[in-house]
């Protein structure tokens, strides 16, 4: 692997000398995400393929830590963890492709368990970064408390590779829950948000929640189709699905409190996978897909578009065309932000797919970019158009 790493360093130095941008790529499963543009022959030698630099460097099940090279297959890493009864608790999506752990961290995306376990950056302990001068920089380590100053390793989560190429990452892992159970019951979106608010103040073993309108065809064939529930507004009929994880007594107590109909194990696995991997029909409409990150207590707002709610109300998806400035201004007033997650075939907003950074965050981002990639080589514009 030393030869592969040296080759990556050489490619970076060659691009630096030629003043050419570098587009970092893993498995390509998230190529649609961010301010993406295809690499063309006119770009020259500018595609930095990380997949050859793979493999688990160190795994200590008793310490709940794994270190892997960036090109390591996410599926193979999860399989290795599962053999030891452990998992990546933030449930990173694969999106049907050969996802890598480097791309997982760079994209910073998490699945249904994010509401209780935390996001990607909460599990990043350390990282090695290839900078624009071909140097290997190390940040953090393999324990929780080893950082002074900027925690750069965690800032790499969700950075879309604009600071450099992640070549290695250390992650905290957690045991797989002893038992899991999913239940479902009918509710409008307004009723669902009210129930979510009640549960937040109670010691329930909830690890994931979702609300979908009844008109949205279900990935597992459970939901009933209704013509009067097409927009996901406050009064639309729909379904709340709840996953409970932990010790059997805690799950039994939570089921008795929440109610609903139990899903069998196969149905439950298919349901949560359809949200994690976006194979549910809601995500396959070939329409622009907006992701809203909002305070969970935010009330229902009807934009006349199909809606899907996750994370106890903290993540809401809208499928369809809507003015970017309108939806972003609404989200910002409520203390959240809006991302054009999948632009579909239409043009992206003039300021990019991501919600514009606040002045403070933008200043820190520019400083980090200047320190780590002063030549502006890596993934130009992928996260912020001007960087």
């Amino acid at each position: 692997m030393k030869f592969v790493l040296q080759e990556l360093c050489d490619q970076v130095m060659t691009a630096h000398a030629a003043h050419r941008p570098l587009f970092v790529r893993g498995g390509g499963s998230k190529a649609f995400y961010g301010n993406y543009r295809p690499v063309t022959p006119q770009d020259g030698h500018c595609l930095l393929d990380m997949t050859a630099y793979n493999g688990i460097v160190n795994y200590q099940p008793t310490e709940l830590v794994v270190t892997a090279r960036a090109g390591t297959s996410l599926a193979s890493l999860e399989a290795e963890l599962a053999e030891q009864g452990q998992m990546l608790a933030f449930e990173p999506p694969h999106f049907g492709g050969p996802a890598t752990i480097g791309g997982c961290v760079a994209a910073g995306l998490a699945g249904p368990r994010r509401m209780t376990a935390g996001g990607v950056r909460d599990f990043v302990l350390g990282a090695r970064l290839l900078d624009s001068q071909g140097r290997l920089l190390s940040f953090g380590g393999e324990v929780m408390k080893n950082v002074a100053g900027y925690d750069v390793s965690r800032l790499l989560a969700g950075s879309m590779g604009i600071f450099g190429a992640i070549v290695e990452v250390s992650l905290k892992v957690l045991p797989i829950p002893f038992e899991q159970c999913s239940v479902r019951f009918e509710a409008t979106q307004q009723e669902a948000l009210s129930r979510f608010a009640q549960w937040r103040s109670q010691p329930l073993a909830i690890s994931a929640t979702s609300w979908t309108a009844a008109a949205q065809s279900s990935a597992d064939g459970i939901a009933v189709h209704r013509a009067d529930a097409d927009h996901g507004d406050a009064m639309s009929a729909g379904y709340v699905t709840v996953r409970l994880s932990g010790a059997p007594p805690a799950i039994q107590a939570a089921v008795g409190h929440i109610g609903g109909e139990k899903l069998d194990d196969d149905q439950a696995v298919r349901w949560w996978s359809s949200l994690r991997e976006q194979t549910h029909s809601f995500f396959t409409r070939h329409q622009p897909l907006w992701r809203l990150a909002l305070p969970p207590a935010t009330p229902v707002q009807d934009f006349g578009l199909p809606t899907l709610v996750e994370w106890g109300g903290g993540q809401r998806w809208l499928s369809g065309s809507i003015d970017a400035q309108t939806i972003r201004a609404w989200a910002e007033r409520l203390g959240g932000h809006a991302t054009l997650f999948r632009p579909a075939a239409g043009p992206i907003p003039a300021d990019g797919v991501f919600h514009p950074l606040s002045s403070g965050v933008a200043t820190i981002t520019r400083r980090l970019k200047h320190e780590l990639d002063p030549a502006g080589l890596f993934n130009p514009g992928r996260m912020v158009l001007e960087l």
Side-chain angles (χ1 to χ4, degrees), residues 92-238:
H94 299 228
F95 292 140
T100 62
I101 193 61
C104 161
V105 173
L109 299 177
R113 202 179 298 272
R114 165 67 175 83
M115 64 172 286
T116 55
V120 178
R121 64 169 44 90
D122 298 307
F123 290 85
V124 175
L125 300 177
R128 296 181 73 198
L129 189 74
L130 179 58
D131 76 357
S132 59
Q133 298 181 56
R135 301 176 302 181
L136 289 171
L137 309 178
S138 296
F139 304 100
E142 294 184 331
V143 296
M144 291 297 292
K145 296 182 179 180
N146 63 346
V147 177
Y150 284 123
D151 192 349
V152 176
S153 57
R154 294 190 180 188
L155 291 176
L156 296 177
S159 67
M160 303 301 295
I162 69 169
F163 300 131
I166 299 172
V167 296
E168 192 175 290
V169 62
S170 296
L171 298 170
K172 177 183 177 182
V173 300
L174 291 181
I176 295 173
F178 186 76
E179 186 173 307
Q180 295 198 121
C181 172
S182 294
V183 297
R184 173 171 292 176
F185 59 86
E186 290 190 39
T188 65
Q189 186 181 165
Q190 181 173 289
E191 292 168 342
L193 293 176
S194 296
R195 294 292 296 273
F196 294 160
Q198 294 171 11
W199 297 337
R200 281 194 294 274
S201 63
Q202 299 169 349
L204 299 173
I206 295 175
S207 63
T209 62
S210 68
W211 178 86
T212 49
Q216 297 161 9
S217 60
S218 170
D220 58 11
I222 298 173
V224 178
H225 303 270
R226 297 183 182 177
D228 63 344
D230 195 35
H231 300 307
D233 61 21
M235 301 308 294
S236 293

Side-chain angles (χ1 to χ4, degrees), residues 171-349:
L171 298 170
K172 177 183 177 182
V173 300
L174 291 181
I176 295 173
F178 186 76
E179 186 173 307
Q180 295 198 121
C181 172
S182 294
V183 297
R184 173 171 292 176
F185 59 86
E186 290 190 39
T188 65
Q189 186 181 165
Q190 181 173 289
E191 292 168 342
L193 293 176
S194 296
R195 294 292 296 273
F196 294 160
Q198 294 171 11
W199 297 337
R200 281 194 294 274
S201 63
Q202 299 169 349
L204 299 173
I206 295 175
S207 63
T209 62
S210 68
W211 178 86
T212 49
Q216 297 161 9
S217 60
S218 170
D220 58 11
I222 298 173
V224 178
H225 303 270
R226 297 183 182 177
D228 63 344
D230 195 35
H231 300 307
D233 61 21
M235 301 308 294
S236 293
Y239 292 88
V240 170
T241 309
V242 183
R243 184 176 64 192
L244 304 162
S245 304
I251 290 178
Q252 292 170 11
V255 170
H257 181 81
I258 292 171
E261 179 182 353
K262 286 187 180 182
L263 306 185
D264 66 40
D265 291 343
D266 289 341
Q267 289 174 331
V269 168
R270 289 199 302 271
W271 176 257
W272 298 113
S273 176
S274 76
L275 299 186
R276 175 182 177 178
E277 303 298 342
Q278 295 193 350
T279 56
H280 187 281
S281 62
F282 175 88
F283 299 103
T284 59
R285 297 171 180 270
H286 304 293
Q287 294 289 325
L289 180 66
W290 284 89
R291 174 184 180 266
L292 309 180
L294 300 170
T298 302
V300 176
Q301 297 287 322
D302 183 17
F303 288 94
L305 297 176
T307 303
L308 190 150
V309 180
E310 290 189 272
W311 299 359
Q315 177 167 262
R316 307 186 195 184
W317 300 93
L318 297 179
S319 177
S321 298
I322 191 169
D323 179 68
Q325 290 186 339
T326 298
I327 192 65
R328 285 174 174 168
W330 171 79
E332 194 165 339
R333 282 197 305 270
L334 294 168
H337 55 85
T339 297
L340 182 53
F341 194 82
R342 291 181 186 265
I348 67 171

Side-chain angles (χ1 to χ4, degrees), residues 41-55:
Q42 290 74 27
D43 291 315
H45 186 69
C46 61
L47 183 63
L48 193 66
D49 188 345
M50 305 298 296
T51 54
Y53 193 64
N54 57 61

Side-chain angles (χ1 to χ4, degrees), residues 12-22 43 45-46 375-377:
V12 170
M13 289 187 287
T14 299
H16 185 278
H19 304 287
R20 292 187 178 276
L22 272 169
D43 291 315
H45 186 69
C46 61
L377 294 184

